[in-house]
Amino acid sequence: MMKLKKNVVGQLVLLASLGTAASFAQAQELRFMCSTDGNECEVIDELVTRFEQENEGVDITVDIVPYKSIQENLPVQLAAGSGPDIAKVTDLGGLSQYYLDITPYVEADYWEQSFGDILNWYRKSADDKGIYGLHSQLTITGGYINRTLFDQAEIEPPAADASWEEWAEAVAKVADATETPYLMAMDRSGHRIAGPAISDGAKLFADDGTPALVDEGFTRFVTKFVEWNNNGTMLRDVWAGTGGDTYQDAAQEFISGSLVYYYSGSWQVGKFDSEIGDAFDWQVVGTPCGEVACTGMPGGAGIVGFSSTEQPEIVGKLLDYLAREDNYAELTARTRNIPAHAAVAAKGVDYEGASAPAAAALNAWGKQVEKVSPVAYAYQGYKHNRAMFGITMTRVSQAIVGELSIEEAMERATADLEQTMAEVESK
């Protein structure tokens, strides 16, 4: 009996020691929630494996999930305190309350020099100086042209500093000479129209930092845009064919060769490369100039850690590892993205395996980064920008179809934003 007791005690001691060892092992385990429409998560997983090899005892599981899980399930998990340690996200400002500040675990000067204003997209407020996320997938909005149509018409594309009006005039000549049905189109998106509006002087924020959607610059571009939609310059059905905040693009019209100029963004490169093939030559031409700038809107996705993690140092070390210039350059090249890292962008990216048109397009998009306005950076990082995008889509479309005058649409947009902010502040 005593022996049995001794054996039981011994077994309990053994189990306790095993439990301690298991707890230690589990303390090095992290979960990384990732979603992508390309190969980004697979490439990240390979880089993570190399990180594990350099950090004995660390085990990071990369869970590849549908984008809907990131958009809908992740916020619920984080609110309940049951989310992953790390995730790849697109709602950068909206989830900022949950982010881990990795400043204690990284060289802050390197991050500031490498990522600059983009770091603000992840911060909670204007006076927050923390470092919260690695922007892994930078996107830029701007224009594409069917270069073959320009060549057939024997018309040179306008210069890099050409205005929207100059582009509209040139495109009209090309369409007429080549009998192409559609001149220009812009995605139905509040994000897409924001760059041109900023170029025309839209500030989007008051002097005190509060959101202010409608001003002279914003109204100036909307006025032109509504006119272009109603005189045949813009493909009207894109914005007039649906209501509310429903997104609509014109990618298929461009791919089919029936559209001369398409204002969308860098994420279309892969689709155009695979679906256009050698049917015609296409070219990235950036954003036409307005009264004050020639800016597109930045965007994309980033990798963040969450403050609920039990291993903040490992999370910080991993993000720092992925931000290292050689690793970031590899991630950018293999996933065929635009680099947000200043040094990588300055040196250019060798998109190994990409077709010549795709590689040229991606590097052309990379050169647009330096033209991005500080206002565009601020707008992209604003945590309530999605509400502003939705208001823009709804009210501009109503002006296009004649349901509201431009003046009425701008008044409604102002009232919509005031109501939205009142609701936010009351919560």
Side-chain angles (χ1 to χ4, degrees), residues 71-356:
Q71 290 293 91
E72 299 179 4
N73 299 343
L74 179 60
V76 175
Q77 293 177 15
L78 294 172
S82 60
D85 301 276
I86 311 163
K88 176 173 168 277
V89 299
T90 55
D91 188 8
L92 309 182
L95 297 175
S96 62
Q97 62 181 307
Y98 302 111
Y99 295 163
L100 170 71
D101 185 357
I102 62 172
T103 305
Y105 316 111
V106 304
E107 186 180 337
D109 287 345
Y110 171 82
W111 280 70
E112 292 285 355
Q113 292 168 7
S114 299
F115 300 102
D117 289 338
I118 293 177
L119 296 176
N120 292 327
W121 296 352
Y122 297 83
R123 289 169 172 156
K124 299 175 179 65
S125 62
D127 48 349
D128 184 353
K129 302 302 180 185
I131 298 175
Y132 299 96
L134 170 68
H135 205 69
S136 59
Q137 186 178 3
L138 181 64
T139 59
I140 302 288
T141 63
Y144 294 89
I145 60 170
N146 183 321
R147 182 58 195 251
T148 296
L149 292 176
F150 273 84
D151 292 342
Q152 288 174 349
E154 298 183 347
I155 294 173
E156 277 297 309
D161 59 353
S163 67
W164 274 96
E165 289 81 0
E166 289 172 312
W167 269 104
E169 182 180 352
V171 168
K173 291 179 180 177
V174 171
D176 182 60
T178 59
E179 299 184 349
T180 304
Y182 306 127
L183 281 66
M184 308 178 84
M186 179 187 292
D187 291 339
R188 187 175 191 270
S189 161
H191 179 269
R192 223 68 77 244
I193 199 174
I198 294 168
S199 294
D200 248 358
K203 297 179 180 178
L204 299 171
F205 298 94
D207 291 340
D208 63 0
T210 57
L213 183 59
V214 177
D215 60 12
E216 183 180 351
F218 186 85
T219 304
R220 178 164 43 240
F221 185 77
V222 168
T223 300
K224 291 187 288 192
F225 187 67
V226 170
E227 180 182 353
W228 290 334
N229 272 273
N230 287 313
N231 69 11
T233 300
M234 286 282 174
L235 178 51
R236 189 173 185 270
D237 284 350
V238 178
W239 278 73
T242 187
D245 59 0
T246 303
Y247 173 78
Q248 180 62 49
D249 67 23
Q252 289 308 313
E253 286 79 2
F254 188 74
I255 291 168
S256 70
S258 58
L259 175 64
V260 180
Y261 179 104
Y262 179 33
Y263 193 89
S264 187
S266 57
W267 56 90
Q268 299 282 12
V269 169
K271 176 183 285 189
F272 290 170
D273 188 37
S274 63
E275 296 190 25
I276 294 174
D278 58 3
F280 60 84
D281 294 331
W282 49 278
Q283 181 181 339
V284 172
V285 293
T287 293
C289 297
E291 294 282 329
V292 301
C294 314
T295 183
M297 274 291 289
I303 300 169
V304 299
F306 298 111
S307 56
S308 57
T309 182
E310 295 181 0
Q311 293 296 326
E313 183 174 0
I314 298 175
V315 171
K317 287 180 67 176
L318 174 62
L319 265 63
D320 202 40
Y321 178 83
L322 296 174
R324 212 169 70 187
E325 186 175 332
D326 57 341
N327 290 332
Y328 192 93
E330 179 184 346
L331 175 63
T332 301
R334 294 179 61 190
T335 58
R336 298 180 186 175
N337 279 314
I338 311 302
H341 190 297
V344 174
K347 293 177 181 177
V349 177
D350 179 11
Y351 293 100
E352 184 179 352
S355 69

Side-chain angles (χ1 to χ4, degrees), residues 35-50:
S35 176
T36 182
D37 55 2
N39 67 337
E40 192 171 60
C41 293
E42 288 80 1
V43 175
I44 288 172
D45 192 28
E46 290 183 31
L47 291 170
V48 165
T49 298
R50 287 173 6 205

Side-chain angles (χ1 to χ4, degrees), residues 355-407:
S355 69
L362 289 165
N363 278 304
W365 282 120
K367 292 176 182 178
Q368 296 298 313
V369 174
E370 63 183 8
K371 298 181 180 181
V372 176
S373 162
V375 177
Y377 277 115
Y379 195 28
Q380 178 60 23
Y382 181 54
K383 63 183 178 181
H384 300 303
N385 61 15
R386 293 195 176 198
M388 297 173 74
F389 295 158
I391 292 168
T392 300
M393 294 163 67
T394 299
R395 298 310 182 187
V396 171
S397 288
Q398 288 179 312
I400 290 171
V401 300
E403 188 176 325
L404 298 173
S405 68
I406 292 173
E407 182 179 359

